[in-house]
Amino acid sequence: MEHHLQVTDSRTGKSYTIPIEGDYVRAADIARIGAPEGKVDLEALKAAHPLRVIDNGFANTACMESSITHIDGLQGTIRYRDFPIESLFHQYIYEDVMHLIIWGHLPNEQEKAHVREAMSKAMNPTQSVKDVISAFPRDAETFPMILAGMSAFAASDSVICKTRHQQSAMFHGRLDVADEALVRTIGYLATTISLIYCHKNEKPWHAPEPSRNLLGNLLLMMGITDPQVEKCLAKLWILYADHEMTNSTAAVLHAGSTLIDPVAAISAGIICGYGPLHGGAIDLAYEGFRQIGTPERVPPFIERIKAKGGRLFGYGHRVYKTRDPRVSLIEELLEEHRDAVEANPLIRVAMAVDKYANQDAYFIERGLKANADLMGCFLYTAMGFDTDMIIAITILSRVPGALAHWRESLTQPVKLWRPQQKYKTPLAN
């Protein structure tokens, strides 16, 4: 054993050898410490004190082994299936990268055509789906509308409905069935978002075309015809396609471990994605920009933040100790669309905030910079998307990555995620 920990339990005096595998130890090996040995009966279990690990928020716990995405926060690198994100950004479009992340290789034209056709077929909503969306007030929040639309789609999908009514697993170990459901799920979400957009803006909804990819059909269904929008998002979405084990991806896998269907699993991720400490931070950041109003009012706003009079959402990232590699790529897109970016009054405020923060010692010392999630939103705003829809569209760009993790889990042994807790005796009344 090349690398290991040699641990002595002071409670018993026994020593244990814990293997180290690439900077990781396995919790099952830790659990051997204090566990009964030899023949195990009820009395032995009662007398034992096996060691457990407390890790609030899973900050130091790897819950999966994955071959999809690798992030090095110290070096500032991201790799999808071992491809550097920079080379994928400059040489491919989102459709190619989506296929790479889900199926592990870059697609040929036949494979792309197959996915396009299957996905566009799923994008034709039943009347019940349309009715569910149109039942909401036009000024309703997008978040609950997405959940309602996805539920309506799931109710009309016979395979997904059957998942909960058979003893054998519908998707685990059956990648052919899983792949079909995965593609439909992405199509359902794209259609739901387009229906919401059209309902809110009182625009007609347009049927998808089998020759178009996911992004192309999303924009078609929404009635957005500017080719520059598709060209920009086909690059921007690459940067959001996956981000390793995020809170929302973990939620997808947690739900997926019950052997539930992909629509339900993705819904768990969407719920997390709208939380204020996750994707919902974008809404809060934009609310801050609106409160500031003009670039001239940025300095007093920042000083109030520094005096603990508020919080600047969209700044800093817990993963990166150096520059997020996606930021420089987003800056390339911002430069390409400079006129539209600079013409938007809200983005002018955002840019003034960023400029002030980049020159202020408080932010410099703490390494606080606008993160890639916030900066990418400036492009959506410059292209005319309402803030209310930005998170929804960003989530759509991430969902194929989350489903890639769900698909990967289907090739691993079934394991229901069931964390433990440490019980604390309550204080006496």
Side-chain angles (χ1 to χ4, degrees):
M1 191 180 300
E2 185 177 359
H3 297 293
H4 62 274
L5 300 176
Q6 197 66 39
V7 180
T8 300
D9 186 349
S10 64
R11 302 170 301 174
T12 62
K14 293 182 179 179
S15 292
Y16 301 84
T17 300
I18 309 296
I20 299 175
E21 303 173 14
D23 299 333
Y24 290 87
V25 295
R26 294 191 177 273
D29 290 327
I30 299 295
R32 290 192 292 110
I33 301 173
E37 299 176 354
K39 184 180 180 180
V40 178
D41 54 23
L42 182 58
E43 292 306 313
L45 289 172
K46 288 181 178 179
H49 296 281
L51 211 58
R52 297 291 183 261
V53 177
I54 297 178
D55 186 13
N56 292 337
F58 311 112
N60 298 288
T61 300
C63 59
M64 288 288 283
E65 294 181 73
S66 176
S67 300
I68 299 170
T69 300
H70 179 258
I71 298 173
D72 188 326
L74 296 177
Q75 299 294 328
T77 61
I78 302 175
R79 302 178 74 89
Y80 296 153
R81 300 286 188 179
D82 215 30
F83 285 80
I85 195 169
E86 294 85 355
S87 65
L88 292 171
F89 179 85
H90 289 121
Q91 298 175 34
Y92 299 95
I93 62 172
Y94 178 79
E95 180 181 25
D96 302 307
V97 175
M98 179 186 77
H99 200 287
L100 170 68
I101 287 175
I102 296 174
W103 290 289
H105 64 275
L106 291 164
N108 57 39
E109 291 303 318
Q110 183 178 0
E111 288 170 325
K112 286 194 281 191
H114 174 74
V115 172
R116 288 180 178 186
E117 184 175 355
M119 196 172 288
S120 64
K121 185 177 180 181
M123 289 174 173
N124 287 288
T126 61
Q127 188 60 45
S128 62
V129 174
K130 296 178 181 178
D131 291 344
V132 163
I133 299 302
S134 63
F136 282 85
R138 295 191 193 277
D139 61 351
E141 288 201 0
T142 299
F143 168 49
M145 296 177 75
I146 291 176
L147 297 180
M150 292 299 282
S151 296
F153 264 118
S156 62
D157 188 310
S158 60
V159 174
I160 284 174
C161 289
K162 196 181 295 181
T163 304
R164 295 175 294 280
H165 301 286
Q166 63 179 43
Q167 294 184 1
S168 59
M170 176 65 77
F171 305 108
H172 191 273
R174 302 177 65 195
L175 292 184
D176 55 338
V177 179
D179 284 344
E180 292 174 356
L182 177 156
V183 169
R184 291 199 305 275
T185 299
I186 297 171
Y188 294 162
L189 182 58
T191 309
T192 298
I193 291 170
S194 69
L195 287 168
I196 293 170
Y197 175 86
C198 293
H199 178 62
K200 283 176 169 289
N201 292 280
E202 299 186 62
K203 291 184 175 182
W205 181 82
H206 299 270
E209 296 177 356
S211 61
R212 290 177 178 255
N213 61 27
L214 168 62
L215 174 57
N217 266 326
L218 172 71
L219 297 175
L220 172 64
M221 291 186 290
M222 296 169 82
I224 297 172
T225 58
D226 185 350
Q228 289 301 312
V229 174
E230 182 170 356
K231 179 183 176 184
C232 177
L233 296 187
K235 292 295 186 180
L236 180 64
W237 279 22
I238 291 174
L239 308 181
Y240 298 141
D242 191 47
H243 206 239
E244 215 184 66
M245 191 54 61
T246 64
N247 176 281
S248 49
T249 300
V252 170
L253 291 173
H254 203 126
S257 76
T258 69
L259 300 183
I260 198 67
D261 64 88
V263 171
I266 282 301
S267 296
I270 292 171
I271 290 168
C272 292
Y274 267 92
L277 293 183
H278 204 358
I282 301 304
D283 268 346
L284 295 172
Y286 269 73
E287 287 178 14
F289 299 151
R290 292 190 192 94
Q291 291 172 11
I292 295 170
T294 65
E296 292 75 24
R297 296 173 60 184
V298 166
F301 175 82
I302 295 293
E303 293 304 318
R304 181 166 63 85
I305 296 294
K306 289 161 57 178
K308 311 299 182 185
R311 179 172 177 176
L312 189 58
F313 284 89
Y315 275 71
H317 199 294
R318 68 183 68 240
V319 171
Y320 299 99
K321 307 306 179 187
T322 185
R323 186 176 172 86
D324 182 336
R326 299 174 297 174
V327 169
S328 60
L329 302 174
I330 291 173
E331 288 173 345
E332 291 183 26
L333 293 175
L334 289 170
E335 182 61 29
E336 286 182 29
H337 300 273
R338 177 189 287 187
D339 291 344
V341 169
E342 293 181 347
N344 188 285
L346 196 61
I347 303 180
R348 286 202 297 269
V349 173
M351 291 299 191
V353 170
D354 195 50
K355 181 178 179 181
Y356 192 96
N358 286 338
Q359 297 172 351
D360 189 278
Y362 178 91
F363 289 86
I364 294 172
E365 291 169 2
R366 291 165 175 76
L368 296 175
K369 294 180 178 293
N371 60 43
D373 297 318
L374 176 59
M375 289 189 67
C377 292
F378 299 163
L379 288 159
Y380 284 110
T381 302
M383 289 181 285
F385 289 97
D386 293 333
T387 308
D388 185 51
M389 295 301 300
I390 291 176
I391 297 177
I393 298 171
T394 303
I395 283 175
L396 176 59
S397 69
R398 175 64 62 81
V399 157
L403 285 172
H405 287 272
W406 172 77
R407 184 183 190 274
E408 186 179 51
S409 74
L410 301 179
T411 66
Q412 300 171 358
V414 174
K415 183 71 174 179
L416 176 67
W417 287 24
R418 208 291 189 183
Q420 298 190 25
Q421 66 161 26
K422 177 186 176 183
Y423 176 71
K424 295 178 66 174
T425 304
L427 296 174
N429 294 325

